[in-house]
Amino acid sequence: MVDNLTQPSDAAGPFDRLKALLPARLRGAPVVPVVRLSGVIGAVTPLRPGLTLAGVAKMLERAFSMRNAKAVALVINSPGGSPVQSRQIYLRIRQLAAEKKLPVLVFVEDVAASGGYMIACAGDEIFCDPSSIIGSIGVVGGSFGLQELIKKIGIERRLYTAGEHKAMLDPFLPENPDDVARLKKIQREIHALFISLVKESRTTRLKGADDLLFTGEYWAGDSAVTLGLADAIGDLRGVLRARFGDKVATPVVAPAAGLLSGLLGRRAAGAGSLGATGLGWAGMAEELISAVETRSIWARFGF
């Protein structure tokens, strides 16, 4: 007689079938949430929003709070931008990692340069592609000199200030060497903070001399690994499966979209009409300049 209570060990009971319908993070499988940080850093314009702490904070909170998370993966593709926003995003990632006691694994796509590399330093480990561009640890600023142009087209510049240096670096005035010296002093201070952050984050893994690593130069992936700016060549799927098993779940934590994002005031770039943004045609010149500046930032790294 066959014992009706005996079942093959691999047979799926009702509980197992129900469990199979649940998301991986609710089945007890290892989970590594993925957050993508892509684009120029800083508030650009309403139609071309950049990476800011305000824009990514909720995504980071959700990723670090996810059930069964074994680590958090950051996918970075950024040529840099605002040093303030870069550092604030870096600090928030490190704060959450310490609070939740989770390691942070960074995966560089095309570029992690300048402020993009500063954010990458929030990772306990940095992985990249052999063709990734990494580094550019420096500070850059620029403007245009338009004083001769406005003379040629018959425009008179009228500027009223209170404060000796309030009009410093005005593009419609001739360049003042004293103003340039003040700007360079500020840049040196910001550069020193950047260098300190990289050294604190990468510690003994850095293999190059300061006068090589911190000149603003950048390198492809293999060289970046040799210099200690990154830890290894690797892609997200391959590294996470090797470390956490083939069953690892990698849910992408995306920003709010649709109606919710509109209510929160974070419309997607280019969404809606010009009238809906409140810019009208008067804002098109600013948007065009923003697009050119954004393109020039990417172009510095061949993209």
Side-chain angles (χ1 to χ4, degrees), residues 280-296:
W281 292 105
M284 285 300 293
E286 181 183 359
E287 290 299 323
L288 178 59
I289 293 172
S290 171
V292 171
E293 289 179 340
T294 299
R295 187 71 194 89
S296 69

Side-chain angles (χ1 to χ4, degrees), residues 129-150:
D129 185 85
S131 298
S132 297
I133 298 298
I134 295 176
S136 190
I137 302 167
V139 181
V140 64
S143 183
F144 298 94
L146 304 176
Q147 69 275 9
E148 296 300 326
L149 175 62
I150 63 173

